[in-house]
Each structure stands twice: as structure tokens, then as C-alpha cells.
Amino acid sequence: MVLLIVLEGVHKRYGEKPALAGLDLEVKPGTVHAVLGPNGAGKTTAVRVMSTLLRHDEGVVRVAGHDVRTEAAAVRARIGLLGQHAALDEELDGRQNLEMFGRLHHLGARRAGVRADELLDRFALADTGRKPVKQYSGGMRRRLDLAASLITEPAVLFLDEPTTGLDPRGRAEVWSAVRSLVGGGTTVLLTTQYLEEADQLADRIALVDGGRVAAEGTADELKALVGGTRVELALADAAALAAAARALPGAAVREEELRLSLPAAGAADLAAAVRALDEAGVEAADIALRRPTLDEVFLRLTDRSDDSVEVTA
């Protein structure tokens, strides 16, 4: 299989400060590959290198079969980039914005107009194509910005925190658009500050810390690194917590939270825990099977419990 993105031992320094320290990454065609990491991890730096906006110091970077250092023009002809801030003219309407991007990419007036209409329809913006962008909602603006990044039908699309600042409805609209793109064969590399976004969209996730990949895999594979499914219980008071701990030997107790948990293979273990509590006369305020979240993976593997996911690199 031909890989659409390959990074091997990539280094980038700003003075004495390393931003990328031997970053390795491989992205298969027709997939969404998410990159997560704490502040300063190097996510945005990596996107800038891959999209030819920044030259790396060492290592190999190939995108769509071309070296970003020696074949930058060929790389740019095959990629689209959606940054953190919309690059739209708010006085123009949606169709005019897309036509403008088409002309900037030398499509010609007729082809630019045809492509604008195709993209407005594809992103469910046809009814608002003649409305000034300043009247668009946040989700509509982001979808139009996404459409503009696809004006040349790129093989690879870089999305650098595409839903920052959007409300849940706006994020859902962008997620739907991204799924549609990948379904049509586009390869997407996504950086995001929303762990849920990576969980929802990504086929594979690279957790980057200190300028290199700390862990990589599917969401399920990463979650397995910090433990499997657990039975989680919440108790009403300290006495009930103590009784539950006696009824469920080996459970991990979190006294301050009035909660305990124990490993589980599935629903049978949940039922067994419920029976043990009933026999001990203990009533749980809440009991459920729970899998690890990407938040827990992130905090455990980066060991930075007080950091959020990176907003800028």
C-alpha cells in the first residue's frame, strides 16, 4: 500500500528549543489520522512542515509521494489546508468566496464557477450561497472554509483544529462533512483540541509529546494501554463505600469520591457485582460498565494532569 504521508526522524528547532525531536508518522490513504498532544508537543509545527509552510532541520517528509523539501510545488498541488482561523471574505457571499479561491488556483472563470456550485451543494450550503458570509453561523463558515480548501480536489487535506470555537451543533456539522470527504477517498490529517473529536473521526491516533510519537493506534488500542473495561460504582456515603469494598474484594477504592472500581470482562461481571452488593445489603447510587476514555490515555501517557490538549504548538 502506498502511504500518503511519511515522516521519518523529523527534527525542527527554534533556536535551542526542539519543536520536533525525531517525529515518525505514517498515514494510509482514505483514512483520518488524528494527532493529539499537550501544549508545545509540536502538532502545529508538524502540520506546517508537511504542508511546506516551514522547513524542517533533519529527517524525511513525503506527502502524496513527493518530498516536501525538494518537491514543494508538487506537494502544494496535491494538498489542502484548513487552519485554525477562517480565510474568508465576509463581504462576499459563499459562492463568490469559492469562485475567488478557484481563480487564485488558476481554474479559470467557468471552471471556478462550476466547482463553486459543486462544493456548495456538497456541503449543504447551496441555499445560502448568495448570502454574505458575515451572516453565516459559525458552523456554516467552517463548512465554507472546508469547501474552499477542497477547491482543487486535493489528495491530502490537513485540518488544524478545525472546530475550535464552534458550538456542539457546529462541530457536528464539520464532523459530518469530514466523514463525507473520507468516504469520497480524501485522506485527512487532523489536529484537534477535542479528544472526543479524535475518538469520533479518527481511524488512527498519534499521541505526540516532546516532539515525537509517544503512542499510536486506534482509539480502542490506545484505551487498552491504560486498562480495560471496569465496573464503576458510586456510593451514597462512607459507610456504604466500606461495605461495598468488603463485598467486592480487590476493588480499587477512591474514598474522597465515594467510588470504587474493579476490572470486568463484560456484562456478566457487572451482574456478579450487583449480586454481591445485594447479598451484602449495599445499595449503589450508580453502577455501570465503563471503558477508559482518550482523556485518561492522554493524561496517563503524557503525565501532565494539569495540561489541556495543545491549542498552538
Side-chain angles (χ1 to χ4, degrees):
M1 177 183 291
V2 177
L3 296 169
L4 264 289
I5 300 174
V6 176
L7 281 73
E8 298 177 352
V10 178
H11 290 257
K12 175 62 184 177
R13 301 176 187 84
Y14 295 105
E16 296 298 317
K17 181 180 179 182
L20 302 177
L23 183 66
D24 297 309
L25 192 66
E26 294 184 346
V27 178
K28 297 178 181 179
T31 63
V32 178
H33 203 112
V35 178
L36 301 176
N39 288 328
K43 300 195 315 293
T44 297
T45 297
V47 168
R48 289 174 61 81
V49 167
M50 288 183 278
S51 57
T52 76
L53 296 176
L54 185 68
R55 290 177 68 87
H56 56 293
D57 299 320
E58 301 172 35
V60 175
V61 181
R62 296 183 65 83
V63 176
H66 297 277
D67 187 284
V68 301
R69 189 190 298 276
T70 61
E71 303 172 280
V75 171
R76 287 194 288 270
R78 289 162 176 79
I79 66 171
L81 172 63
L82 178 62
Q84 297 177 23
H85 306 289
L88 302 170
D89 187 323
E90 296 200 348
E91 298 302 320
L92 300 179
D93 63 34
R95 190 177 192 277
Q96 289 170 333
N97 266 280
L98 294 181
E99 286 181 306
M100 176 182 67
F101 278 99
R103 297 298 298 273
L104 289 172
H105 284 88
H106 310 293
L107 292 187
R110 184 177 181 280
R111 178 56 185 154
V114 170
R115 186 67 178 144
D117 290 334
E118 291 173 351
L119 289 167
L120 288 171
D121 185 63
R122 182 174 186 176
F123 287 93
L125 292 168
D127 292 342
T128 59
R130 298 295 185 181
K131 180 188 295 186
V133 169
K134 62 185 177 183
Q135 297 179 19
Y136 280 26
S137 68
M140 290 167 60
R141 289 174 189 234
R142 213 56 178 141
R143 276 155 46 212
L144 183 64
D145 208 22
L146 186 55
S149 70
L150 296 169
I151 201 78
T152 58
E153 302 182 74
V156 179
L157 179 62
F158 296 105
L159 302 179
D160 191 14
E161 301 190 6
T163 61
T164 296
L166 295 184
D167 61 21
R169 183 184 298 276
R171 286 203 300 273
E173 291 174 356
V174 174
W175 292 357
S176 177
V178 171
R179 291 188 184 102
S180 175
L181 291 176
V182 176
T186 302
T187 300
V188 174
L189 187 134
L190 165 76
T191 73
T192 178
Q193 63 174 308
Y194 300 114
L195 296 168
E196 180 191 6
E197 188 159 86
D199 210 352
Q200 287 280 336
L201 293 177
D203 298 289
R204 289 185 69 79
I205 300 167
L207 180 59
V208 177
D209 193 26
R212 59 171 59 92
V213 173
E216 187 173 8
T218 66
D220 286 342
E221 288 169 347
L222 291 178
K223 291 172 185 178
L225 294 176
V226 298
T229 303
R230 304 188 300 275
V231 175
E232 287 274 353
L233 297 95
L235 287 305
D237 52 44
L241 179 66
R246 290 192 296 272
L248 299 168
V253 179
R254 304 197 296 276
E255 294 184 6
E256 293 184 359
E257 301 174 35
L258 295 176
R259 302 183 72 90
L260 57 77
S261 65
L262 65 160
D269 291 317
L270 174 64
V274 171
R275 287 194 299 271
L277 293 176
D278 285 342
E279 292 171 2
V282 178
E283 183 175 349
D286 183 60
I287 181 169
L289 279 177
R290 182 173 176 274
R291 299 179 64 211
T293 66
L294 278 180
D295 300 66
E296 292 170 316
V297 175
F298 170 78
L299 295 174
R300 180 79 63 84
L301 295 182
T302 62
D303 194 26
R304 301 184 187 194
S305 60
D306 60 344
D307 277 354
S308 62
V309 179
E310 176 191 16
V311 177
T312 58

